[in-house]
Amino acid sequence: NPTRAESAFARARTEQEKIVLEQPDYAQAVGVLGVINAGLGRKEDAIREGQRACELLPVSKDALEGSDLVANLALIYAWTGEKRRAIEQLAKAAQIPGNLSYGLLKLHPQWDSLRGDPQFEKIVASLVPRN
């Protein structure tokens, strides 16, 4: 239901903006605001916030949280129609130990816009659990 989704994103944005205003260098909060803005179709804001989150807490400073922020940036790119950039970030995140997983990419509908792309499918295949 697009109307309900937009309403939920708008409410979430209001709350998330408060957090970011209070803690402008809190990378995870900035990244979540970026995802929310992507859901609202606010492409430029979303990309700027996703990139800023990655700058605030790069993988070199915190591999686990940093890789989550890279995956969030990939999601922002995917939701804003920047498929090539989304796949570039996913490829990067897939090389870092973190929360990105085969099951998440294979099954979660948030990645539907990338399905069928050979590069995306290659990343998914690279995350298949090995025995």
Side-chain angles (χ1 to χ4, degrees), residues 6-8 12-14 18 22-24 32 34-35 54 69 78 84 87 91 95 100 114:
E6 184 174 346
S7 176
R13 184 175 186 272
T14 300
K18 291 177 190 176
E22 292 171 5
Q23 301 176 66
V32 168
V35 171
C54 289
L69 295 172
R84 180 189 54 78
I87 290 169
Q95 299 301 312
L100 190 65
L114 302 179

Side-chain angles (χ1 to χ4, degrees), residues 71-124:
N72 275 355
L73 181 56
L75 183 59
I76 289 167
Y77 285 140
W79 283 8
T80 59
E82 297 286 334
K83 291 182 180 182
R84 180 189 54 78
R85 294 170 85 183
I87 290 169
E88 287 173 1
Q89 294 303 309
L90 280 177
K92 181 177 171 183
Q95 299 301 312
I96 307 163
N99 294 317
L100 190 65
S101 69
Y102 170 78
L104 179 69
L105 293 182
K106 182 75 175 170
L107 302 173
H108 202 290
Q110 69 188 13
W111 301 107
D112 283 353
S113 67
L114 302 179
R115 295 201 199 293
D117 182 288
Q119 290 178 299
F120 176 75
E121 299 303 335
K122 184 177 177 181
I123 294 166
V124 173

